[in-house]
Amino acid sequence: MKLFVQCFFLLAFLSCVQKEKEDANDAYFSKKTKENIQLKLNKISTITLENHKNGSIGAPLYNIEFDTFGNMYFFDTIESKFIIYDSKGKFLKTFGRAGRGPLEFELVYAYTLDELNNLYVYDDALRGIKIVNDSLNLTSIYKIKNKEYYITSHDIEVVGKNIYVGILGAGAVATTDNSQELIDSPLIMIAEVDNQNDELKNRYIGTYDPYLKHIESYYYRPIFYIDREKQTILVSHQNSYRFQEFDLRTGSLIKYFGFKSDNYGEGEKKSSKNRNRKENYLNSLSESNNELVFSTDEYIGNFYLNGTEEWFDSKDLSDLHYYFSIYSKENYTYITTLEANHRLIKVQNNKFYFIEDEDPEEFKIGIYELIEI
């Protein structure tokens, strides 16, 4: 009986601690809306990628990275290769193929370039990060040996010797509900590269947003953007309109904010292993999917898409609905949500890069800027 009473009070205490954590987050949550500003996308130019027998993009990872010369790096998921074009769309070179060798790739989740034009590629099949230099030689492979988490983000950033990736704790992966393991999971892993030992020394920033406990979804993937000037990291989730901003140096929470626009949907049903892919997809149509978060000189925000029944059969990007919500970078106030005609794949140097046509014969990238009306 005595043991039962002790356990009861321990569980009650832990419950109160967690409730205080969630209440603290909610108390910190900023709901300020909205500034009387009207914005629109203004088109700057279109880049048509040169059609080359070795350089046509069959199925992009829906990401684009730039080196310091303005060259564009795409990854083709069909042929497991990187394709490089110059800033005007002229084909330069390609490298890589399917496999597990030095310049072979199997299940690329994310890639990025650092200030020295080293290419960092996270291959989930290897649970490792390959580093390729600007001469396209493999210089390092860093294996993820820690079994306490999984890399789940399609974002990877490099600042100095630190590699940033989004993760999910192994305990949360194993659960079938919005459990405490999810909320307590570390959010961002900072892997410090040790060139002598080819190992990653890990530390962490943040934990998952407690708001996710109220959403029926299996898609909790972190998405993030690092502001090198402010030395902050802006984090959201694939299935949430809310943001957490952390100090890059201390890891402390700076701001917790967000505004749920009318066309942002939240999950109503979870996927089921007993249903086929189409049934699961149709049951998830109520849920919006965040694709990326971004920052410009004046604004921060997220780009998300809403699925349709037509898209599952057509796989045509024009059958999806695209939106992005915009906030003031100065005070985090919500400004507006704009609808886009195309899929956004990158925001860099105040420019928005959209896939206007993914036909391999005439792949087009539209470049836009956000202006006040």
Side-chain angles (χ1 to χ4, degrees):
M1 180 66 180
K2 184 178 180 181
L3 179 61
F4 172 79
V5 172
Q6 290 176 332
C7 290
F8 174 81
F9 280 106
L10 177 60
L11 290 172
F13 170 75
L14 292 175
S15 176
C16 288
V17 169
Q18 177 57 29
K19 183 66 165 60
E20 288 178 3
K21 176 184 174 182
E22 293 187 28
D23 288 346
N25 273 56
D26 280 337
Y28 213 66
F29 183 68
S30 173
K31 301 177 181 178
K32 292 193 304 181
T33 61
K34 86 178 187 177
E35 291 195 357
N36 187 25
I37 299 175
Q38 290 185 305
L39 300 172
K40 73 170 187 176
L41 284 170
N42 178 58
K43 188 167 186 177
I44 301 172
S45 62
T46 296
I47 300 174
T48 301
L49 302 186
E50 180 184 355
N51 182 22
H52 188 279
K53 62 179 181 179
N54 294 321
S56 296
I57 302 176
L61 194 60
Y62 298 121
N63 183 37
I64 179 175
E65 294 293 334
F66 298 91
D67 65 17
T68 56
F69 302 104
N71 298 323
M72 301 178 287
Y73 288 62
F74 294 87
F75 183 73
D76 188 325
T77 60
I78 291 180
E79 298 190 14
S80 296
K81 66 181 181 181
F82 282 91
I83 309 173
I84 307 174
Y85 299 87
D86 71 10
S87 59
K88 296 182 179 180
K90 181 182 179 181
F91 171 75
L92 297 179
K93 63 186 73 173
T94 182
F95 70 94
R97 63 182 181 182
R100 299 196 174 196
L103 288 181
E104 296 176 342
F105 309 99
E106 195 163 347
L107 188 58
V108 171
Y109 256 36
Y111 64 96
T112 191
L113 289 150
D114 67 12
E115 65 275 8
L116 298 177
N117 295 329
N118 294 307
L119 178 68
Y120 294 70
V121 185
Y122 174 66
D123 192 327
D124 196 54
L126 304 177
R127 287 207 81 201
I129 298 172
K130 292 183 176 182
I131 302 179
V132 180
N133 65 19
D134 58 354
S135 298
L136 303 184
N137 296 313
L138 181 71
T139 59
S140 302
I141 301 178
Y142 295 99
K143 289 294 185 74
I144 309 297
K145 299 178 181 179
N146 191 328
K147 297 182 179 180
E148 296 180 357
Y149 62 83
Y150 292 91
I151 292 179
T152 57
S153 176
H154 288 305
D155 295 319
I156 180 172
E157 294 275 2
V158 179
V159 180
K161 290 186 177 182
N162 292 330
I163 304 172
Y164 295 78
V165 291
I167 61 173
L168 179 61
V173 173
T175 61
T176 57
D177 58 8
N178 303 2
S179 65
Q180 195 59 48
E181 285 86 353
L182 172 68
I183 305 307
D184 290 337
S185 171
L187 183 59
I188 301 295
M189 180 185 78
I190 308 171
E192 182 180 350
V193 177
D194 185 336
N195 291 321
Q196 294 181 341
N197 299 319
D198 279 359
E199 291 183 357
L200 297 177
K201 299 178 180 179
N202 304 336
R203 52 194 175 92
Y204 308 97
I205 287 181
T207 55
Y208 274 57
D209 185 350
Y211 180 74
L212 298 180
K213 291 188 73 172
H214 308 294
I215 301 174
E216 294 293 332
S217 176
Y218 274 140
Y219 306 108
Y220 303 108
R221 179 179 292 122
I223 55 175
F224 65 90
Y225 174 87
I226 290 179
D227 190 319
R228 287 164 172 77
E229 183 177 343
K230 288 179 61 181
Q231 286 291 291
T232 59
I233 181 169
L234 182 65
V235 189
S236 186
H237 295 272
Q238 182 178 344
N239 60 341
S240 176
Y241 66 92
R242 297 188 176 200
F243 300 83
Q244 298 181 85
E245 187 177 52
F246 299 92
D247 187 298
L248 209 58
R249 294 154 294 197
T250 65
S252 58
L253 181 65
I254 297 172
K255 198 70 176 178
Y256 178 44
F257 66 100
F259 178 82
K260 186 174 178 294
S261 60
D262 292 339
N263 46 36
Y264 193 93
E266 294 180 336
E268 298 174 356
K269 291 183 180 180
K270 284 190 175 180
S271 301
S272 170
K273 294 181 180 179
N274 298 322
R275 289 195 292 260
N276 62 40
R277 287 183 61 210
K278 186 168 187 177
E279 287 178 311
N280 278 331
Y281 173 77
L282 294 177
N283 276 290
S284 69
L285 287 180
S286 64
E287 184 175 11
S288 296
N289 282 278
N290 278 343
E291 294 290 302
L292 57 83
V293 295
F294 62 84
S295 176
T296 68
D297 289 345
E298 297 182 74
Y299 310 108
I300 52 180
N302 63 313
F303 172 77
Y304 61 93
L305 61 85
N306 292 340
T308 65
E309 291 187 33
E310 294 78 12
W311 178 84
F312 188 88
D313 295 317
S314 71
K315 298 299 186 294
D316 187 333
L317 293 183
S318 64
D319 285 333
L320 297 170
H321 300 305
Y322 305 107
Y323 305 92
F324 53 106
S325 294
I326 304 165
Y327 301 77
S328 165
K329 188 172 184 176
E330 180 181 7
N331 58 25
Y332 306 94
T333 301
Y334 170 75
I335 298 174
T336 189
T337 294
L338 297 179
E339 186 170 4
N341 295 323
H342 309 288
R343 186 167 190 152
L344 181 67
I345 57 171
K346 190 72 174 179
V347 179
Q348 184 165 299
N349 297 329
N350 297 314
K351 294 178 181 177
F352 293 71
Y353 294 82
F354 291 87
I355 296 179
E356 293 187 331
D357 191 337
E358 62 173 345
D359 183 348
E361 300 293 323
E362 200 161 307
F363 201 101
K364 294 182 183 295
I365 304 292
I367 305 174
Y368 294 74
E369 61 184 346
L370 198 58
I371 63 172
E372 189 172 343
I373 301 175

